[in-house]
Amino acid sequence: MEGLTAEAASLAGHLRLGRLIVMYDDNEISIEGSTDLSFTEDVNARFEAYGWHVQDISGHDHDAIAAAIENAKSETGKPSIIVCHTQIGKGSPNKEGSASAHGEPLGTDEVLETKKALGWPEDQTFVVPNAVREYWESVQKKWADEKASWNELMEEYRKKNSRKAKELDRILAGDLPKSFRKAVAEFETGKSVASRSSGGEVLNMLNEVLPELIGGSADLAPSTKTVIRNEDFIGPGHFEGKNIHFGVREHAMGGVANGLALHGGFLPFCATFMVFADYMRPTMRLAAIMKQRVIFYFTHDSIFVGEDGPTHQPVEHLASMRIIPNLRVMRPCDANEVAEALCLAAERKEGPTVLALTRQNLPTLDRSTGEIAEIKNARKGAYILKEAPAGKPDMILVASGSEVHTALEAYDKLVAMGKQPRVVSMLCMKLFEEQSDGYKRKVFPKRVKKRVAVEASLDPHWQKYVGDKGLVIGMDDFGISAPKEKLAEEFGFTSDGVIAKIKEAGMLD
Amino acid sequence: MEGLTAEAASLAGHLRLGRLIVMYDDNEISIEGSTDLSFTEDVNARFEAYGWHVQDISGHDHDAIAAAIENAKSETGKPSIIVCHTQIGKGSPNKEGSASAHGEPLGTDEVLETKKALGWPEDQTFVVPNAVREYWESVQKKWADEKASWNELMEEYRKKNSRKAKELDRILAGDLPKSFRKAVAEFETGKSVASRSSGGEVLNMLNEVLPELIGGSADLAPSTKTVIRNEDFIGPGHFEGKNIHFGVREHAMGGVANGLALHGGFLPFCATFMVFADYMRPTMRLAAIMKQRVIFYFTHDSIFVGEDGPTHQPVEHLASMRIIPNLRVMRPCDANEVAEALCLAAERKEGPTVLALTRQNLPTLDRSTGEIAEIKNARKGAYILKEAPAGKPDMILVASGSEVHTALEAYDKLVAMGKQPRVVSMLCMKLFEEQSDGYKRKVFPKRVKKRVAVEASLDPHWQKYVGDKGLVIGMDDFGISAPKEKLAEEFGFTSDGVIAKIKEAGMLD
């Protein structure tokens, strides 16, 4: 019934995933009662419409199950579904076929009655009949033999192709080539480039050294800029590409990316507009729980999407993703932070990473003069991007992504007013929280109480960084449809707007 | 392609919504190119499998469209889909049938070329041909006549049934009967009842005076306790009930509830476990943007769900919903707060409300002795539930829902230690924020710096209420599977655990 299943089944049918076999336990019972209460569609016809191989059997007929699995295996051009008609709680004299057999344990008495009805030993628990035990022992033997001969084959391959074999081991272990960062060229300063575009460039650079990279977009690739050039697209019956057309199926896209990560041997990414992250939220949560390396790649990361208006303008999304445990959210401020963020995401074995990238252009900061911090500092999540002129700040401006540039402009104006501001770039709150207390205090010294956060979003996380005497310049409602320059003015995300709010808060006194 | 559509279409087919006509513009183009890149299923067969009436026509054949709509109207036992095969950008010599006709404007030159190709006046914009104008004028006349005679009928009805007519006006205006709160009986103290259960009771009480109440659960009604007793269930071709079996379709459930609210004349609620709120998040966001009165009713609202473990234990969900603008999240601490929360949700015309309710039992507080605040105070979102014994607090414990009782227990222990704590119940942060500065300062006086928030969730919103010197006792990771008593101990949500953390924070010195 879940829409996620519909998306995944449609995609599997399209791609002709001949190796996929789904056993559908059609027991006609849901928690509220008979599935007829809410679900009377023709499931078999629906899966045929998706292009699946459909079989319909009794799920209590063991020979029929075995035969159906063999049929499904021999159908290699389509995914297979085996619709198994069953009675839930089969054998239970009082609960068979009822909703209570789904939601509740049978209970001691009914378990006894069921054993009696099934002719099962009544006085034993965890019984494994001898026939089953013998069958599994024979299977173990067979598979041990198969494994041994496969290992032999692999050893031979290893001898003849040691470089490739090592690469395979590396990929399956989820490790990266030691010098993989060298593949990522530094971006030239003086140019203005949207972080969605620099992100696409970095994906392509990483692809040169990471054969495990694979991914795609939910029908937005021309906008998310995530196509890996010179690589094929995976298509129906054709699986040798590195790009995937997911279709307008965000939820299934997240599920597929999780599946690729769980399988091992892949570094999957999946892309859409940030506002649509809501459609795939359960998959981000699961990736975080399962500690899987998945890159959730979201462009159009703020109200500065512009004319599309509130339905397409993320406002609460940064906060709602930052709040998921073990999910790192990275919002880079320029092309070189984008590169760093993607490298960190690739290096991270313990969980998923969100990239938050802009639609609009951002200047690439000149980090060569010493005024702006070197990019390696970004690896600590947050860092002093630009120190107060005299080295001892009396105010901290902390920002992320596109608003870092607003903060830098405000910095200049504050300096002209005789102030000593510091600009901190907050690439990733969770990564920053992992740093030593000493480092955290260095970035946010206790004595500096005048702290201002600037981010075109609605996020209570900032409160902690600015403190009771600080100021958060963010959103407090949905966006509106307008060109991005007008929005910046309207919502105060210009350097003049920032200065005005700082003044209003009494921080210039 | 979206799973949401699949859920909704399956439900519409099941319910035999004979008045629903969907025009499907099948132009075979998506943003990444031909729909064939990711979508090759047999859509017509799929909708037939859902039980729909399917027609397949050229979407450029006006007579065929008109005939298909008439056919669809006369098919009253099934919803209808009219699959309209079209060329996107029809008539544009260079863009017809291409993806760029979807994602980009045609441009001035191509618009001119298109007009030429279509034989359309080239020098005019916003042309309405005379035939169209005349047709619409005749339609306006016809509909004005129909409206006038309907109004006459309604006036007659009004005279004969003034009470019913007033009730209809009230319902369509989204107003409530003036004394509707009288239908909600006060809950007896001394009893322990899960807030999901008291919530169910309140829904049933409200139903006595609110014929507009309608709703259901995504196949969890026995657990969410949301069945309205003595009222029918809506079923295939049978629409006179007030209960809906939504099936395991959370996303469509949210969409249906929004649709009912937009239609007018309904007070819709939709229920599931809180962890599944993620599946329907886009619909909550839209209800908030559209300012619709919808009750999103979530039970099993914390780790205290217990043995089902992290996949079923909401941790970040309260925060992720509180962050959505214009969405009120209410987490009541006892049966009488549940009643108040549901009344507030029903009264609220400007937007949706989330109810966060427990699986586990909660004591119903005795509000008769003066020690615990009267329930009407809850209408301010947060209120002083129990004042310090001497009337002047030196510490504030603020909590929501089930953790209010933990805070009250900790209160007793702190008092025994000679402290002067105050307990604040935070029913709804957004509602509290709407109060006057004076009231807010009264609840959280500036001079009291020792502030402790207790909530079995991960929510940065608390930081603002406890301040720099405060303490948040919450979650910082996913939950684990265990009985609820063990979880309370493990994560420190017992009064002893709370006291220990307060001590550790140096607040007892």
Side-chain angles (χ1 to χ4, degrees):
Chain A
M1 292 195 224
E2 288 283 5
L4 169 59
T5 321
E7 290 181 4
S10 170
L11 185 58
H14 166 77
L15 291 174
R16 300 191 200 141
L17 301 185
R19 286 189 181 172
L20 177 62
I21 303 177
V22 170
M23 312 286 294
Y24 171 31
D25 178 9
D26 187 7
N27 62 33
E28 292 174 26
I29 287 297
S30 66
I31 290 176
E32 292 187 2
S34 163
T35 51
D36 277 356
L37 293 173
S38 62
F39 187 66
T40 46
E41 63 178 64
D42 182 341
V43 173
N44 295 21
R46 172 154 69 98
F47 276 79
E48 270 158 19
Y50 289 142
W52 285 53
H53 169 233
V54 179
Q55 298 177 81
D56 194 282
I57 61 169
S58 159
H60 298 302
D61 179 342
H62 299 180
D63 292 335
I65 297 170
I69 292 174
E70 286 312 312
N71 286 343
K73 280 181 176 173
S74 60
E75 171 57 75
T76 58
K78 293 176 173 183
S80 280
I81 184 167
I82 304 173
V83 179
C84 304
H85 296 278
T86 60
Q87 284 88 47
I88 195 167
K90 174 78 177 171
S92 158
N94 301 303
K95 297 208 171 181
E96 180 177 302
S98 77
S100 76
H102 177 139
E104 301 159 16
L106 287 181
T108 318
D109 292 350
E110 188 66 14
V111 165
L112 255 183
E113 292 297 318
T114 306
K115 284 178 173 176
K116 242 181 244 174
L118 293 172
W120 201 254
E122 289 165 43
D123 52 346
Q124 293 173 52
T125 47
F126 301 108
V127 177
V128 180
N130 272 337
V132 172
R133 191 180 303 276
E134 280 161 20
Y135 175 74
W136 276 105
E137 279 165 359
S138 75
V139 167
Q140 279 181 315
K141 172 80 178 68
K142 188 178 145 222
W143 287 352
D145 291 349
E146 279 180 20
K147 188 181 174 186
S149 58
W150 187 87
N151 280 343
E152 262 175 54
L153 200 69
M154 190 63 202
E155 275 316 302
E156 245 172 84
Y157 179 84
R158 233 174 249 292
K159 275 174 206 156
K160 287 183 194 149
N161 307 275
S162 87
R163 211 183 51 80
K164 279 193 176 176
K166 271 185 194 161
E167 179 86 332
L168 182 63
D169 288 343
R170 176 191 72 69
I171 291 173
L172 289 174
D175 294 329
L176 298 176
K178 268 191 192 116
S179 54
F180 87 101
R181 277 168 179 267
K182 285 189 188 147
V184 181
E186 211 178 302
F187 283 85
E188 273 180 67
T189 60
K191 282 194 183 165
S192 219
V193 54
S195 49
R196 61 170 168 160
S197 301
S198 49
E201 292 307 313
V202 177
L203 283 177
N204 275 279
M205 293 171 190
L206 286 174
N207 183 56
E208 296 297 318
V209 290
L210 301 180
E212 61 267 42
L213 191 69
I214 186 169
S217 177
D219 193 38
L220 284 172
S223 293
T224 57
K225 314 272 185 195
T226 39
V227 174
I228 304 179
R229 294 182 294 265
N230 309 320
E231 301 281 359
D232 269 4
F233 273 86
I234 283 170
H238 167 71
F239 306 118
E240 287 179 23
K242 303 189 72 175
N243 294 293
I244 305 176
H245 291 293
F246 285 105
V248 193
R249 303 183 184 101
E250 295 84 7
H251 204 167
M253 176 170 75
V256 170
N258 285 354
L260 288 165
L262 285 161
H263 177 279
F266 295 105
L267 168 52
F269 67 90
C270 55
T272 184
F273 291 170
M274 187 185 277
V275 83
F276 303 140
D278 281 350
Y279 282 78
M280 51 195 292
R281 188 170 172 84
T283 62
M284 293 194 276
R285 182 172 210 259
L286 284 174
I289 289 181
M290 299 187 296
K291 299 185 174 24
Q292 292 303 305
R293 184 179 60 166
V294 175
I295 302 177
F296 295 100
Y297 191 103
F298 300 128
T299 65
H300 298 61
D301 73 343
S302 74
I303 52 165
F304 299 120
V305 167
E307 290 85 345
D308 276 355
T311 54
H312 285 56
Q313 288 168 323
V315 168
E316 73 280 21
H317 297 74
L318 285 168
S320 76
M321 294 189 289
R322 284 173 178 149
I323 199 67
I324 296 178
N326 197 37
L327 178 67
R328 278 190 187 163
V329 177
M330 302 223 169
R331 188 167 188 247
C333 77
D334 76 345
N336 288 311
E337 267 196 19
V338 170
E340 191 53 51
L342 271 163
C343 289
L344 288 165
E347 281 170 337
R348 183 172 192 229
K349 284 183 167 186
E350 309 77 25
T353 302
V354 164
L355 269 281
L357 304 174
T358 63
R359 176 185 185 228
Q360 77 273 24
N361 281 344
L362 303 176
T364 303
L365 296 172
D366 182 356
R367 295 171 189 263
S368 64
T369 66
E371 270 190 46
I372 299 283
E374 286 178 65
I375 188 63
K376 67 174 183 199
N377 293 283
R379 290 175 207 173
K380 299 209 159 171
Y383 62 108
I384 304 168
L385 185 70
K386 190 167 189 177
E387 186 51 294
K392 215 187 152 196
D394 56 13
M395 186 185 289
I396 297 172
L397 302 178
V398 54
S400 83
S402 45
E403 286 72 68
V404 166
H405 303 279
T406 318
L408 286 171
E409 273 185 50
Y411 172 104
D412 289 342
K413 291 184 179 172
L414 288 164
V415 168
M417 295 160 85
K419 301 292 169 187
Q420 290 288 327
R422 162 188 288 181
V423 172
V424 171
S425 174
M426 180 64 83
L427 174 61
C428 175
M429 290 178 182
K430 276 213 184 72
L431 184 53
F432 178 61
E433 289 302 325
E434 289 173 19
Q435 307 306 315
S436 70
D437 285 348
Y439 178 75
K440 283 190 260 185
R441 269 197 304 271
K442 204 183 117 194
V443 176
F444 293 105
K446 258 195 162 176
R447 59 160 195 88
V448 185
K449 302 288 187 202
K450 291 179 180 173
R451 300 182 187 178
V452 183
V454 190
E455 186 179 78
S457 88
L458 208 175
D459 189 350
H461 287 97
W462 290 111
Q463 186 59 39
K464 173 180 168 179
Y465 297 107
V466 303
D468 290 352
K469 301 206 168 146
L471 171 66
V472 179
I473 301 177
M475 299 290 293
D476 62 1
D477 204 343
F478 295 109
I480 49 179
S481 168
K484 61 182 189 300
E485 296 77 12
K486 288 223 168 184
L487 292 170
E489 259 180 59
E490 172 71 22
F491 291 110
F493 297 109
T494 60
S495 55
D496 284 343
V498 168
I499 301 282
K501 283 192 185 157
I502 290 175
K503 196 175 170 186
E504 203 184 296
M507 288 192 189
L508 295 185
D509 304 341
Chain B
M1 292 193 225
E2 288 282 5
L4 169 59
T5 322
E7 291 182 5
S10 169
L11 185 57
H14 166 75
L15 291 174
R16 301 191 199 140
L17 301 185
R19 286 189 182 172
L20 177 62
I21 304 176
V22 170
M23 312 287 294
Y24 171 32
D25 178 9
D26 188 6
N27 62 33
E28 292 174 26
I29 287 297
S30 66
I31 290 176
E32 292 187 3
S34 163
T35 51
D36 277 357
L37 293 173
S38 61
F39 187 65
T40 47
E41 63 178 62
D42 182 341
V43 173
N44 296 19
R46 172 153 70 96
F47 275 80
E48 270 159 19
Y50 290 142
W52 284 54
H53 169 234
V54 179
Q55 297 177 81
D56 194 282
I57 62 168
S58 158
H60 298 303
D61 179 341
H62 299 179
D63 292 335
I65 297 170
I69 292 174
E70 287 310 313
N71 286 342
K73 280 181 175 173
S74 59
E75 171 57 75
T76 57
K78 292 175 174 184
S80 280
I81 185 168
I82 304 173
V83 178
C84 304
H85 297 277
T86 60
Q87 284 88 47
I88 194 167
K90 174 79 176 171
S92 157
N94 301 303
K95 297 209 171 180
E96 179 176 304
S98 76
S100 76
H102 177 140
E104 300 158 17
L106 287 181
T108 317
D109 291 350
E110 188 67 14
V111 165
L112 257 183
E113 292 296 319
T114 306
K115 284 178 173 176
K116 241 180 245 175
L118 293 172
W120 201 251
E122 289 166 41
D123 52 346
Q124 295 174 52
T125 46
F126 301 107
V127 177
V128 180
N130 272 338
V132 171
R133 193 182 302 276
E134 280 161 20
Y135 175 74
W136 276 105
E137 279 164 0
S138 76
V139 166
Q140 279 181 317
K141 172 78 179 68
K142 189 179 145 220
W143 287 351
D145 291 349
E146 280 180 18
K147 188 180 174 186
S149 58
W150 187 88
N151 279 343
E152 262 174 53
L153 200 68
M154 188 64 200
E155 277 316 303
E156 245 172 83
Y157 178 85
R158 232 175 249 292
K159 275 174 206 156
K160 288 185 195 147
N161 307 275
S162 87
R163 210 183 52 79
K164 280 192 176 176
K166 272 186 192 158
E167 178 86 332
L168 181 64
D169 289 342
R170 175 189 72 70
I171 291 173
L172 289 174
D175 294 328
L176 299 176
K178 268 193 192 115
S179 53
F180 87 100
R181 277 168 180 267
K182 284 189 188 146
V184 181
E186 210 178 301
F187 283 85
E188 272 181 67
T189 60
K191 282 193 182 164
S192 220
V193 54
S195 49
R196 61 170 167 159
S197 300
S198 50
E201 292 308 312
V202 176
L203 283 178
N204 275 280
M205 292 170 191
L206 286 175
N207 184 55
E208 296 296 318
V209 289
L210 301 180
E212 61 266 44
L213 191 69
I214 187 169
S217 177
D219 193 37
L220 284 172
S223 293
T224 56
K225 314 272 185 195
T226 39
V227 175
I228 304 178
R229 293 183 295 264
N230 309 319
E231 300 281 0
D232 269 3
F233 273 85
I234 281 169
H238 166 72
F239 306 118
E240 287 180 22
K242 303 189 72 174
N243 294 293
I244 304 175
H245 290 294
F246 285 105
V248 192
R249 303 183 184 99
E250 295 83 8
H251 203 167
M253 176 170 74
V256 170
N258 285 354
L260 287 167
L262 284 161
H263 176 279
F266 294 106
L267 168 52
F269 68 90
C270 54
T272 184
F273 292 169
M274 188 184 277
V275 83
F276 303 139
D278 281 351
Y279 282 79
M280 51 196 292
R281 187 170 173 84
T283 61
M284 291 194 277
R285 182 172 211 262
L286 284 175
I289 290 180
M290 299 186 296
K291 300 185 175 22
Q292 290 304 304
R293 184 179 61 166
V294 174
I295 301 177
F296 294 100
Y297 193 103
F298 299 129
T299 66
H300 298 59
D301 72 344
S302 73
I303 53 165
F304 299 120
V305 168
E307 290 85 344
D308 277 355
T311 53
H312 285 56
Q313 289 168 323
V315 167
E316 74 279 22
H317 297 73
L318 285 168
S320 77
M321 294 189 290
R322 283 173 178 149
I323 200 67
I324 296 178
N326 197 36
L327 178 67
R328 279 190 187 164
V329 177
M330 302 225 169
R331 189 166 188 247
C333 76
D334 77 344
N336 288 310
E337 268 196 18
V338 170
E340 191 54 51
L342 271 163
C343 289
L344 288 166
E347 281 171 337
R348 184 172 192 230
K349 284 183 167 187
E350 310 78 25
T353 303
V354 164
L355 269 281
L357 304 174
T358 63
R359 177 185 184 227
Q360 77 273 25
N361 281 344
L362 303 176
T364 303
L365 296 172
D366 182 355
R367 295 170 189 262
S368 65
T369 68
E371 271 189 45
I372 300 283
E374 285 179 64
I375 188 62
K376 68 174 183 201
N377 293 283
R379 289 175 207 172
K380 299 208 160 174
Y383 62 108
I384 305 167
L385 185 69
K386 191 168 188 176
E387 184 53 293
K392 216 187 152 195
D394 57 13
M395 185 184 289
I396 297 172
L397 303 177
V398 54
S400 83
S402 44
E403 286 71 68
V404 167
H405 303 280
T406 318
L408 286 171
E409 273 184 50
Y411 173 103
D412 289 342
K413 291 184 178 171
L414 288 164
V415 169
M417 294 160 87
K419 300 292 169 188
Q420 289 288 328
R422 161 188 288 182
V423 173
V424 172
S425 175
M426 181 64 83
L427 174 62
C428 176
M429 289 178 183
K430 275 214 185 73
L431 184 52
F432 178 60
E433 290 302 324
E434 288 174 18
Q435 306 306 316
S436 69
D437 285 348
Y439 179 75
K440 285 191 258 185
R441 270 198 304 271
K442 204 184 117 192
V443 176
F444 293 105
K446 260 195 160 177
R447 57 161 195 88
V448 186
K449 302 286 186 203
K450 291 179 180 172
R451 299 183 189 179
V452 183
V454 190
E455 185 179 79
S457 89
L458 208 175
D459 189 349
H461 287 97
W462 289 111
Q463 185 61 39
K464 174 179 166 179
Y465 298 108
V466 303
D468 290 352
K469 302 207 165 143
L471 171 67
V472 179
I473 301 178
M475 298 290 293
D476 61 2
D477 203 343
F478 295 110
I480 49 179
S481 167
K484 62 182 188 300
E485 296 78 12
K486 287 223 168 184
L487 292 170
E489 259 179 59
E490 173 71 22
F491 291 110
F493 296 109
T494 60
S495 56
D496 284 344
V498 168
I499 300 282
K501 283 189 186 157
I502 290 175
K503 195 174 171 188
E504 203 183 296
M507 287 192 189
L508 296 185
D509 305 340

